[in-house]
Each structure stands twice: as C-alpha cells, then as structure tokens.
Amino acid sequence: MKLDHIAIVVDNPAEAADWYISNFDATMIYADETWAFVQLDNIKLAFVVKTQHPPHFAFEVDSFEEGDKVKKHRDDSESVYKRDPWGNIYELVKYPD
C-alpha cells in the first residue's frame, strides 16, 4: 500500500493549487470550485473546501473490505473514509484501471 495524497482544507482550491504550482513546482491534475489536485515528485496534494471533504491523508488500494460504503468520485475513483484509533481521518482510494 502506498501513500497517495494529503487533503488540505482551503477557501479557494484553484488558488491554493496555483500557489503550490508556483512555489513547489507541482503539476495541476484537476481543479474546480470545490476541489483541486496537484502532483509533486513523490505525492499528490488535494485542496478541498470544508463542506465537501474532510482534511485527511489517503492510501491507494486495489480493493475494499466487504461492508465498506464505497463512494464514487468525479474522476471515477472510488474511496472509503475511515478513522484511525486517534480520530484522524484517512481515505482508502482505488483508481480505475
């Protein structure tokens, strides 16, 4: 399993993405009014608005556990949000083949 991305809550996702592109040489993957995604050399950063997604970190997986409530996203990925024993939110994400 590999760490896929970290999601940070911001007021303006596209503006945040542009800042990280300018200051850290990130590459834009996607942006709209509520969500933006950039690629760095070793990880992706997601910029989300508070009403759409919680701040979290995500692991890429090949499958989900039986009983998981899987959510399909606008980029055709699927994911499940869970909490670790300390209350941190993490996401398990599966991308289309």
Side-chain angles (χ1 to χ4, degrees):
M1 186 178 319
K2 76 174 191 174
L3 188 60
D4 183 71
H5 68 269
I6 297 171
I8 303 166
V9 173
V10 297
D11 293 330
N12 185 322
E15 186 178 286
D18 286 342
W19 189 86
Y20 277 82
I21 289 166
S22 295
N23 289 279
F24 294 101
D25 201 28
T27 304
M28 181 72 77
I29 297 172
Y30 178 86
D32 66 26
E33 292 181 4
T34 64
W35 181 62
F37 216 24
V38 299
Q39 176 71 54
L40 295 161
D41 286 340
N42 60 339
I43 195 167
K44 293 176 265 190
L45 293 177
F47 306 102
V48 299
V49 295
K50 190 175 187 175
T51 58
Q52 295 285 318
H53 299 278
H56 64 274
F57 51 95
F59 296 98
E60 186 176 348
V61 296
D62 294 325
S63 61
F64 300 105
E65 295 178 2
E66 188 174 327
D68 280 344
K69 294 184 189 226
V70 178
K71 178 181 177 184
K72 188 152 189 139
H73 297 284
R74 61 191 110 189
D75 65 353
D76 287 331
S77 65
E78 297 176 309
S79 73
V80 173
Y81 288 100
K82 298 185 177 197
R83 288 189 185 269
D84 68 17
W86 302 273
N88 299 298
I89 298 172
Y90 66 95
E91 178 184 24
L92 302 177
V93 62
K94 181 179 181 283
Y95 292 101
D97 295 330

